[in-house]
Amino acid sequence: FFVGIVVNGLVNISISTIEKRYELNSSLTGLISASYDIAFCVLSLFVSYLGERGHKPRWLAFSAFMLGLGSLVFSLPHFGSGKYQYGGSKLEDTCQAAETTFANATCSASTNSSLHKYLYVFILGQLLLGVGGTPLYTLGTAFIDDSVPKHMSSLYIGIGYAMSLLGPAIGYVLGGQLLNIYIDIQMPKRQDTTYTEVDQDDPRWLGAWWIGFLACFFAIWLLIIPFSCFPKHLPGTAKIQAEKVSETHDDGSQVLVQANNIGQSFKDFPMALMILLRNPVLMSLIIASSSEALVATGFATFLPKFIENQFGKTSSFSATLGGLVLIPGAALGQIISGVLVSKCKMSCKGIIKFMISTYSVALILNTVFLFAKCGNEPFAGVSETYNGTGTLYNLTAPCNANCKCLRSMYYPVCGSDEVQYFSPCFAGCASYIVNNMKKTYHNCSCIGKAKRGRGSEDFLSEAVPGKCPTQCNFLPLFLTFFFFAVVFTFMATTPTTVAILRCVPDKQRSFALGVQLVFLRLLGTIPGPILFGVAIDKSCTLWDINECEIKGACWVYDNERMAFMLMSISAACKIITIIFVVMAVYFYKPPPLTKALSRKTSEQISAI
């Protein structure tokens, strides 16, 4: 539950804010997100192999300690980076005033580059979280499977995974509310009376992303003592194990005999690993789940950012919407599949066939990106010219050439012509009035004729702070289709775990999960956020460039290009997933019932 809150909730919801605060692009924040999986990948094999015969609850106590420490470290950049400075009054200066302040805008390379160093602190925090998460998802899952009857295993594992998805739901909602609080809790006091404070609609607004990590640090450490008190085996485990019948993939070789005689020492590690890597059913399921994990992790990281830019919503509202779609959909899919597999008492082969149907439906629903996307609102100098003057991708035009505006000061305004401008200066605004603590700019030379009559010629060239409201109404349609795509995608998660546990020898179940999670990280969750981040960066049309001409975060994206690239990645991965699940059905050969029973009897005798 708490891993879900921190890793898949608070981290993902804070990505957009961290980008702006620490001047990072999406590729670097994708690396931050992937660092959790890098640590997981490095340690998974060793932890799952060594912990198979160890005291698993104590491993989980160690897990809680490292998760709490990682949460604490992840919040430290806020306390080391000082107060957030979002600029002075010159950010909102009009055209005439810009001439006098232009000379004051000097390059301070040391100041600009210092924030980038906190990238390594974020990565360290995620690495510690990965160390803590490794025993939980390998030994913890195997511990559940050991302690319950076989036909109930999918239900219990489904409930466990659902709890790990309920955590992100809380993380998204909690994080979304925390983003409504100013990052330093209190707004800075300004002596300049012409200065207007930023609000949540201002692109410079940053929320208090760090509070949730501190709260989880204290909460997770409270679990260390309870975990330490559990016994090595729960009461009744021996009886449950004696009643189970093996469904291990049997190709007629002596691999199963070898698997039952290894694992007593670390010298058996290479042989145990080779037995699993030579299991075609296991490897097909692993590659399929890795391909799906790439898409799931990418969307978990960047769905709030996609909604924010595609549909013109605030970062906090986008994060809340993303959580309301991703988390309930994923949890619902896990529970439904767990109940179906348990109630129908599906065999291993039946479970794999069930996975094919769920992935196929998810692929069809993925086409929502084709028809529920939004075009960009008009942006002078980016998506259109200044009333026919100037050129595209050039913010300077004849109407503002004499203003000497600063490209590093992004303060968007929406003109009465329903076109967005980079700042009041680039809109050529010469004056403003303040009414009820809100500014309205007037005499803007770059703003064309108003699209809606205002009743007075004086207001035909006015602008108000903030982005222009979007005219796109596809958000409800997109969220509906994407919700069901998430449900059907995650309906295969619990069956995949159950199929992996059943197709390998009993003494290698924890190790098999460890192998799966290594490939899951290497091929899925590590490259996923990075690949999605690169794709999103490729769709950027306006970068934040400071006085030193250093490129920071992206301000404006090409919405249609972003939607097309994300859909292409998702569709390609889902097709790969379906192919390998079909291969798993083809390769699977269940052991004869008599052979399975006799093997189980001999194992019981050996145990006695």
Side-chain angles (χ1 to χ4, degrees):
F1 177 72
F2 280 109
V3 170
I5 289 179
V6 177
V7 177
N8 298 318
L10 294 176
V11 171
N12 292 338
I13 205 173
S14 303
I15 285 295
S16 182
T17 301
I18 290 173
E19 280 186 7
K20 297 175 184 177
R21 178 66 180 97
Y22 298 97
E23 300 174 3
L24 305 172
N25 57 42
S26 295
S27 302
L28 292 177
T29 52
L31 176 61
I32 292 174
S33 180
S35 298
Y36 169 84
D37 300 304
I38 293 174
F40 207 116
C41 179
V42 171
L43 297 174
S44 184
L45 286 179
F46 303 104
V47 170
S48 59
Y49 183 81
L50 295 175
E52 174 65 40
R53 289 169 174 78
H55 197 298
K56 293 173 184 174
R58 290 180 184 171
W59 277 93
L60 298 180
F62 168 76
S63 173
F65 174 80
M66 298 304 296
L67 289 168
L69 182 61
S71 299
L72 175 64
V73 171
F74 200 90
S75 68
L76 292 182
H78 170 76
F79 302 99
S81 56
K83 297 289 185 180
Y84 171 50
Q85 301 293 330
Y86 56 83
S89 59
K90 66 181 181 181
L91 280 177
E92 302 176 81
D93 279 343
T94 54
C95 179
Q96 293 92 335
E99 297 184 23
T100 61
T101 60
F102 181 74
N104 296 327
T106 58
C107 174
S108 177
S110 60
T111 301
N112 289 321
S113 61
S114 62
L115 291 175
H116 288 81
K117 297 178 182 178
Y118 289 101
L119 168 70
Y120 304 106
V121 182
F122 287 121
I123 291 176
L124 175 61
Q126 281 283 71
L127 291 175
L128 294 174
L129 288 169
V131 172
T134 303
L136 183 65
Y137 285 101
T138 53
L139 304 179
T141 303
F143 187 71
I144 293 175
D145 188 62
D146 289 341
S147 307
V148 298
K150 186 180 73 172
H151 68 278
M152 296 296 293
S153 177
S154 61
L155 179 61
Y156 279 96
I157 292 175
I159 293 174
Y161 281 176
M163 289 303 297
S164 71
L165 290 168
L166 178 62
I170 302 299
Y172 269 87
V173 175
L174 174 64
Q177 296 304 310
L178 292 175
L179 291 181
N180 291 326
I181 304 173
Y182 183 66
I183 187 170
D184 294 319
I185 307 299
Q186 290 185 339
M187 296 285 292
K189 295 181 180 180
R190 301 285 182 175
Q191 301 298 324
D192 187 356
T193 57
T194 66
Y195 190 91
T196 55
E197 293 183 347
V198 296
D199 56 22
Q200 295 175 35
D201 294 325
D202 193 309
R204 297 171 297 164
W205 171 274
L206 296 182
W209 60 271
W210 51 274
I211 297 178
F213 291 95
L214 277 185
C216 288
F217 156 62
F218 291 108
I220 295 174
W221 272 18
L222 294 176
L223 297 174
I224 296 176
I225 294 178
F227 267 132
S228 303
C229 296
F230 276 98
K232 184 176 181 180
H233 299 288
L234 296 183
T237 298
K239 180 180 178 182
I240 291 172
Q241 290 295 315
E243 295 174 351
K244 289 184 177 180
V245 177
S246 175
E247 289 187 84
T248 306
H249 167 68
D250 188 0
D251 58 0
S253 65
Q254 297 298 312
V255 172
L256 294 182
V257 177
Q258 295 175 350
N260 289 324
N261 295 324
I262 64 174
Q264 302 299 325
S265 68
F266 192 75
K267 289 189 287 187
D268 293 333
F269 179 86
M271 178 63 72
L273 180 60
M274 285 303 301
I275 290 174
L276 294 180
L277 294 179
R278 291 168 57 188
N279 187 326
V281 180
L282 173 66
M283 296 310 298
S284 296
L285 292 175
I286 284 176
I287 295 175
S289 60
S290 300
S291 176
E292 203 62 28
L294 187 150
V295 179
T297 312
F299 276 120
T301 305
F302 291 108
L303 181 62
K305 187 182 184 77
F306 177 82
I307 296 174
E308 176 183 352
N309 291 277
Q310 194 80 200
F311 303 102
K313 304 301 180 182
T314 64
S315 58
S316 61
F317 185 68
S318 300
T320 303
L321 283 180
L324 291 175
V325 171
L326 282 172
I327 311 307
L332 184 62
Q334 301 260 31
I335 295 174
I336 290 175
S337 61
V339 171
L340 287 176
V341 172
S342 177
K343 293 296 182 183
C344 298
K345 297 184 179 180
M346 296 183 188
S347 64
C348 185
K349 196 164 191 174
I351 291 173
I352 301 175
K353 290 180 179 179
F354 173 75
M355 291 162 55
I356 296 175
S357 61
T358 62
Y359 282 134
S360 300
V361 176
L363 174 62
I364 296 173
L365 293 172
N366 187 68
T367 57
V368 65
F369 287 96
L370 291 177
F371 55 84
K373 62 182 184 296
C374 298
N376 289 83
E377 299 300 319
F379 197 126
V382 178
S383 61
E384 63 177 52
T385 60
Y386 288 83
N387 297 311
T389 64
T391 59
L392 287 178
Y393 307 111
N394 186 359
L395 296 175
T396 303
C399 61
N400 59 29
N402 296 326
C403 297
K404 297 181 180 178
C405 305
L406 297 176
R407 169 72 184 268
S408 59
M409 304 302 183
Y410 181 56
Y411 184 68
V413 293
C414 183
S416 54
D417 56 354
E418 298 183 6
V419 175
Q420 183 175 316
Y421 296 85
F422 188 85
S423 68
C425 180
F426 279 103
C429 299
S431 60
Y432 63 87
I433 60 173
V434 179
N435 186 17
N436 294 328
M437 297 299 293
K438 291 187 178 181
K439 276 190 174 181
T440 304
Y441 295 89
H442 299 284
N443 301 321
C444 304
S445 58
C446 295
I447 297 178
K449 184 178 180 181
K451 294 185 177 181
R452 296 184 178 88
R454 301 295 183 97
S456 171
E457 292 295 327
D458 296 335
F459 295 97
L460 293 181
S461 298
E462 73 172 18
V464 294
K467 298 179 181 180
C468 293
T470 180
Q471 304 299 319
C472 179
N473 299 317
F474 287 135
L475 180 58
L477 179 66
F478 171 79
L479 293 178
T480 301
F481 271 78
F482 197 80
F483 173 80
F484 285 105
V486 172
V487 170
F488 280 94
T489 296
F490 278 84
M491 281 180 68
T493 303
T494 300
T496 299
T497 303
V498 174
I500 288 175
L501 291 172
R502 291 190 185 182
C503 76
V504 299
D506 289 347
K507 292 184 179 180
Q508 287 195 294
R509 286 177 300 175
S510 292
F511 195 34
L513 291 178
V515 172
Q516 182 214 12
L517 292 174
V518 167
F519 280 91
L520 202 73
R521 266 63 188 175
L522 283 176
L523 304 180
T525 57
I526 291 177
I530 298 175
L531 180 60
F532 271 64
V534 171
I536 290 175
D537 281 344
K538 291 291 184 182
S539 64
C540 182
T541 57
L542 182 63
W543 288 96
D544 174 22
I545 300 178
N546 62 17
E547 295 92 339
C548 303
E549 298 298 318
I550 297 175
K551 187 165 67 174
C554 181
W555 290 119
V556 181
Y557 295 91
D558 183 336
N559 288 343
E560 293 191 357
R561 180 177 175 83
M562 180 192 292
F564 176 77
M565 295 190 73
L566 297 189
M567 190 215 69
S568 299
I569 295 173
S570 178
C573 290
K574 288 185 180 298
I575 291 173
I576 293 173
T577 297
I578 293 173
I579 291 174
F580 277 94
V581 176
V582 171
M583 290 174 60
V585 174
Y586 174 78
F587 285 125
Y588 180 69
K589 294 180 175 61
L593 182 59
T594 54
K595 182 189 291 186
L597 289 174
S598 63
R599 184 183 300 117
K600 193 67 182 180
T601 302
S602 63
E603 289 178 1
Q604 293 173 12
I605 295 173
S606 299
I608 293 172

